[in-house]
Amino acid sequence: IFLRSIGTSQSNIGRIFMIYGICLMYLAPLISKYIGASKNKKKYLVIGSVIGSLSIANFYFFKDVSGVIAVTVSIFLLGISACLIPVRSAYVLDFDVTKQLGGGKAIGILNAVLRLGQVSGPLLFGWLFLTMGSDMGIAATSIVYLIFTLIFVLIR
């Protein structure tokens, strides 16, 4: 919607959003090999979350400077974040409680929690936009994402 509002053609909007898919197709396998061999999966989960927060913050800070470039960089950062975040399944499988419960059940619970986030996240994001406006809603989303990442670092 933003790109369309600044006059970007539909074909260029499609090309910009293809960056996300390209990250998942070409970078994710390379990153997965590297992360899979790592003992510290939490580090990559945190890095992916921080990059995700930065992708939203990038759009907030730079959309007025150069809208197309800001969106392109944000989509690329979001793609990199999406390449790192799937490590959460491997991270959860390393817990002692997961070994007691069983991997299948633990991943099932993880997927249920993820689905809950996939439903509640857009609702919360929409509520922030309605109550705070689009600019402050984007800023709040970035800050909340970063705060939850920091809470994860401190608790786990």
Side-chain angles (χ1 to χ4, degrees):
I1 293 172
F2 172 77
L3 288 173
R4 191 72 180 143
S5 73
I6 62 171
T8 308
S9 70
Q10 196 63 40
S11 57
N12 284 338
I13 292 171
R15 288 181 190 103
I16 290 168
F17 280 97
M18 282 176 48
I19 293 169
Y20 183 84
I22 289 170
C23 285
L24 293 180
M25 287 183 346
Y26 294 108
L27 295 179
L30 298 172
I31 291 171
S32 294
K33 284 182 185 179
Y34 183 73
I35 292 174
S38 172
K39 297 281 186 205
N40 188 1
K41 294 185 180 22
K42 176 184 173 184
K43 174 176 69 173
Y44 297 102
L45 192 55
V46 171
I47 291 169
S49 296
V50 169
I51 291 172
S53 176
L54 289 175
S55 72
I56 300 167
N58 173 72
F59 179 72
Y60 174 75
F61 287 112
F62 298 111
K63 70 177 171 37
D64 293 330
V65 177
S66 177
V68 173
I69 294 172
V71 171
T72 302
V73 170
S74 291
I75 295 293
F76 177 71
L77 290 173
L78 204 56
I80 298 295
S81 173
C83 291
L84 292 167
I85 296 296
V87 73
R88 70 181 158 238
S89 296
Y91 179 69
V92 167
L93 288 173
D94 286 340
F95 294 160
D96 290 334
V97 70
T98 301
K99 293 172 183 145
Q100 294 170 354
L101 186 63
K105 287 182 183 178
I107 295 299
I109 293 169
L110 174 65
N111 287 335
V113 171
L114 292 174
R115 298 288 181 262
L116 180 64
Q118 289 171 345
V119 171
S120 62
L123 291 174
L124 177 63
F125 194 64
W127 178 78
L128 288 172
F129 264 53
L130 288 174
T131 59
M132 303 175 95
S134 61
D135 284 346
M136 290 309 295
I138 290 170
T141 301
S142 178
I143 291 166
V144 168
Y145 192 177
L146 189 58
I147 288 170
F148 278 121
T149 301
L150 294 174
I151 290 170
F152 171 73
V153 169
L154 294 174
I155 290 177
R156 191 67 198 156

